[in-house]
Amino acid sequence: MERLTVPGTLTSLREIANYVMTAASQAGLDKKAAYKLRLAVDEVATNIILHGYQEAGLEGDLSIEAGLDPKKLTLVIEDQALPYDPTQHQLPSEQDLTQSLNERTEGGLGIYLVLEGVDKFLYERSGNLNRNIFIMNIPVA
């Protein structure tokens, strides 16, 4: 699929979601896997927009590109926000996951959803770019 580049604003999330769902369909992912992938990408894209751009007083784009081979679908989101490796964020504990939202400490659920929703998630810093990489295995026919 051709790369999609959108402004780093919340209004771009729908276009990103459409791109992800098209890629998932082309890869032959079932509805559950496609939904989990869309949710994971949406979580990371939202965090980039809110924390990487808006809270930091920065503006920039998000680029997303899908790569498909016989074994996997790979989606890569690139941004020019401040460096942030979501894989280094502390995940919620088992206790956090069983508590009500009013009782648990804030934060951490998003990256938990990302890691639980995809087969593999990676982060890289390349020059001035953050690269969030989502990998979904293609179901065997």
Side-chain angles (χ1 to χ4, degrees):
M1 285 180 64
E2 189 172 318
R3 175 186 292 259
L4 171 69
T5 300
V6 294
T9 61
L10 293 175
T11 56
S12 296
L13 291 175
R14 180 178 298 278
E15 197 171 354
I16 292 169
N18 290 340
Y19 182 93
V20 171
M21 294 307 284
T22 298
S25 176
Q26 288 180 4
L29 297 182
D30 64 26
K31 285 184 181 182
K32 184 177 179 181
Y35 174 77
K36 286 182 172 185
L37 176 61
R38 188 192 62 76
L39 182 63
V41 170
D42 185 72
E43 179 62 34
V44 169
T46 299
N47 283 342
I48 292 166
I49 293 164
L50 292 178
H51 305 298
Y53 286 137
Q54 290 180 1
E55 288 178 7
L58 300 173
E59 292 182 4
D61 294 331
L62 275 82
S63 293
I64 183 168
E65 188 167 19
L68 184 59
D69 68 36
K71 294 186 178 186
K72 67 184 183 292
L73 167 64
T74 303
L75 289 172
V76 179
I77 297 179
E78 292 182 338
D79 66 81
Q80 305 88 24
L82 297 175
Y84 180 72
D85 182 351
T87 65
Q88 299 303 308
H89 189 82
Q90 183 173 343
L91 295 175
S93 69
E94 285 296 320
Q95 181 181 354
D96 286 335
L97 295 174
T98 59
Q99 290 180 325
S100 72
L101 290 178
N102 293 336
E103 297 173 324
R104 67 176 300 281
T105 55
E106 188 175 323
L109 281 181
I111 190 62
Y112 174 81
L113 291 173
V114 171
L115 295 173
E116 290 295 311
V118 298
D119 293 310
K120 190 170 188 180
F121 177 75
L122 304 166
Y123 169 83
E124 300 174 347
R125 182 75 179 173
S126 178
N128 68 337
L129 295 176
N130 293 300
R131 301 182 81 231
N132 291 277
I133 304 162
F134 307 79
I135 300 171
M136 296 294 284
N137 297 327
I138 303 295
V140 177

